[in-house]
């Protein structure tokens, strides 16, 4: 099982700073904006971005967690049932600008599920999508991210896994793995 | 993933199954407290609720759980049905299955009826109570409610008080509590305690005060007059004097205990109104948790059908 590092350490940190800067440019004082990280890959990333915005602008953007398990379109089509994770959105998203955050966008199906799941918390004014990695040319649905950390060309049999310091790893690392 | 295709009784489940249902129910509890309390998980599933016995709480709870999961639901009750014309249980169910039903939620007065069906049909069966045998989802919601209030079921002392002889809730609770590592005691008049129940590994006590002094949780069962063919105690008044829980008795204990009741409550018989409505009572939490745990059970059973 060969694996290639596609983002790590300082380069990943710079990428997060750039993405945060882009959000600052588009959202100003974030008075009407919330961040929602998608379980499980988007949670640490969304928290990092929230923290970076706080360091740069001294603004604490409300940040929630959204689990999409019950909204997936492959329930009863998989070998195993996915175990749901925690959803915690301690604010209403009615008329808010929502930034959905995920680590990797691949087929777009997870994001479709997220859009569906999110509607249970209100009707947002606008939704943007931020992804650290965009696996290009692999979309099943017409869904594209608003902000991208890095674009990667990959094939169906490959997958991407993330290692974060918050999870006890020595360094942050995103790996492209050949099965 | 659950270890069983059907949910016929707690006896068939493993501790891991129960914990999986609990962790899934945790997420459904969040769902049912959202502004929009519905998820699309079971939108391609049809569920038949087949009730050959009266039910209010369980039937409503299942129906709500099913609808919150976006399943198509059909309801059947034996009163006013072709069962009265002599149709067998198997024929009735097979006719319902011909309408392309995936899951049967069934309540029946005969112990073992859902097990019989599970051996004869392909659909998934969920037992919503079979006579005096088992009521698995009630035990799941009861143990889930204990876990929610006390943090864990492991090591807790639970007394089940009342009509143990006729209670499917008691039997399912005994199995569930033991699998989750709790100590169980049953308490009631001699006539309402099955003769060999101690062989299930439970303590037996006939003095309510002693039982309450021992326990962390008291689950007060309803007296099931409808199942009693002979008189098991002189009068309801006498039963309530010896085995009814009142505020005075609760306050005389030198500790706080959690009070539960599977419903429906006979206020003033097994539990007085001031106890039913006090802070120690988690009776309404049990009802709320019934929806979340039944959503979890249905979701996990449906997931086995791929």
């Amino acid at each position: 099982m060969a694996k290639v590092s596609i983002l790590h350490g300082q380069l990943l940190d710079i990428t997060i700073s750039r993405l945060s800067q882009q959000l600052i440019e588009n959202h100003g004082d974030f008075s009407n904006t919330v961040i929602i990280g998608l379980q499980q890959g988007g949670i640490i990333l969304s928290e990092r971005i929230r923290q970076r915005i706080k360091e740069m602008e001294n603004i604490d953007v409300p940040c929630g967690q959204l689990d999409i398990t019950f909204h997936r379109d492959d329930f009863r089509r998989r070998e195993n049932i996915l175990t749901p994770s925690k959803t915690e959105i301690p604010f209403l998203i009615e008329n808010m600008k929502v930034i959905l955050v995920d680590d990797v966008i691949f087929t777009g199906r997870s994001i479709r599920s997220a859009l569906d799941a999110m509607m249970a918390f209100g009707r947002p004014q606008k939704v943007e999508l931020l992804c650290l990695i965009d696996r290009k040319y692999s979309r099943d649905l017409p869904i594209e991210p608003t902000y991208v950390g890095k674009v990667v060309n990959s094939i169906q049999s490959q997958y991407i896994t993330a290692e974060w310091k918050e999870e006890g790893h020595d360094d942050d690392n995103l790996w492209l793995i050949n099965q | 993933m659950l270890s069983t295709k059907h949910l016929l009784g707690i006896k068939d489940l493993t501790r891991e199954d129960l914990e999986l249902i609990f962790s899934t129910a945790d997420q459904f509890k969040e769902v049912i407290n959202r502004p929009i309390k519905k998820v699309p998980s079971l939108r391609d599933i049809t569920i038949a609720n087949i009730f050959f016995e009266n039910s209010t709480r369980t039937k409503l709870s299942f129906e709500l759980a099913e609808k919150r999961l976006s399943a198509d639901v059909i309801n059947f009750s034996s009163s006013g049905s072709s069962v009265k014309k002599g149709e067998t249980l198997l024929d009735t169910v097979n006719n319902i299955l011909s309408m392309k039903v995936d899951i049967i939620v069934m309540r029946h007065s005969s112990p073992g009826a859902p097990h019989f069906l599970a051996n004869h049909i392909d659909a998934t069966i969920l037992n919503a109570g079979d006579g005096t045998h088992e009521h698995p989802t009630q035990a799941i919601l009861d143990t889930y409610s204990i876990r929610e209030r006390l943090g864990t079921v492991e090591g807790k002392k639970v007394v089940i008080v009342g009509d143990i002889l006729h209670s499917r809730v008691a039997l399912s609770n005994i199995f569930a509590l033991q699998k989750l590592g709790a100590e169980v005691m049953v308490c009631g008049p001699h006539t309402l305690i099955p003769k060999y129940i101690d062989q299930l590994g439970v303590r037996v006590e006939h003095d309510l005060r002693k039982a309450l002094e021992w326990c962390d949780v008291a689950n007060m069962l309803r007296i099931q007059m409808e199942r009693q063919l002979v008189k098991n105690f002189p009068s309801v008044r006498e039963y309530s004097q010896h085995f009814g829980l009142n505020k005075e008795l609760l306050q005389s204990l030198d500790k706080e205990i959690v009070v539960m009741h599977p419903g429906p409550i006979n206020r003033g018989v097994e539990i007085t109104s001031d106890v039913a409505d006090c802070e120690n009572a988690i009776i309404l939490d049990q009802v709320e948790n019934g929806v979340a745990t039944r959503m979890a059970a249905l979701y996990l059973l449906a997931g086995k059908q791929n």
Side-chain angles (χ1 to χ4, degrees), chain B residues 73-93:
Chain B
V73 180
I74 54 172
N75 289 304
F76 166 94
S77 63
S78 59
S79 56
S81 73
S82 291
V83 172
K84 300 291 179 200
K85 300 174 186 173
E87 193 176 48
T88 66
L89 170 64
L90 194 54
D91 282 341
T92 300
V93 173

Side-chain angles (χ1 to χ4, degrees), chain A residues 70 76 78-79 85-86 121, chain B residues 1 27-28 41 44 302 306:
Chain A
F70 302 135
R76 301 177 70 233
R78 301 171 61 96
E79 280 295 299
S85 301
K86 190 177 182 182
F121 297 92
Chain B
M1 197 173 267
Q27 308 315 322
F28 280 123
S41 305
D44 56 345
N306 55 6

Side-chain angles (χ1 to χ4, degrees), chain A residues 96-162:
Chain A
M96 301 292 279
K97 291 176 188 166
V98 176
I99 302 158
L100 286 180
V101 175
D102 206 359
D103 55 353
V104 180
I105 181 165
F106 180 34
T107 61
R109 289 177 183 269
S110 294
I111 305 303
R112 200 258 349 132
S113 304
L115 292 168
D116 189 18
M118 194 182 60
M119 295 304 167
F121 297 92
R123 181 179 180 271
Q125 183 192 123
K126 186 181 182 182
V127 183
E128 293 179 342
L129 175 62
L130 182 150
C131 296
L132 197 52
I133 304 292
D134 178 1
R135 294 182 65 177
K136 216 173 179 187
Y137 308 123
S138 54
R139 219 69 82 232
D140 290 348
L141 299 170
I143 291 173
E144 294 302 331
T146 323
Y147 311 96
V148 177
K150 186 175 182 178
V151 177
V152 172
N153 289 328
S154 61
I155 54 173
Q156 191 78 24
S157 62
Q158 295 174 313
Y159 66 96
I160 290 171
T161 184

Side-chain angles (χ1 to χ4, degrees), chain B residues 239-291:
Chain B
Y239 175 87
S240 68
Q241 281 181 337
H242 287 278
F243 294 99
L245 182 57
N246 56 47
K247 200 69 184 256
E248 193 184 351
L249 178 55
L250 199 59
Q251 286 174 338
S252 71
L253 303 171
D254 57 359
K255 58 174 182 178
E256 293 276 301
I257 64 164
V258 176
V259 179
M260 302 173 70
H261 195 299
I265 303 172
N266 292 316
R267 285 177 182 258
V269 180
E270 60 268 11
I271 190 169
T272 55
S273 280
D274 50 6
V275 173
D277 303 328
C278 76
E279 277 188 12
N280 301 57
I282 57 169
I283 297 164
L284 292 178
D285 295 338
Q286 288 173 263
V287 178
E288 183 185 345
N289 290 337
V291 178

Side-chain angles (χ1 to χ4, degrees), chain B residues 23 105 157 177 194 243 268 278 295 299 302:
Chain B
S23 62
V105 175
K157 294 174 176 172
L177 289 162
F243 294 99
C278 76
M295 283 173 83
Y299 174 81

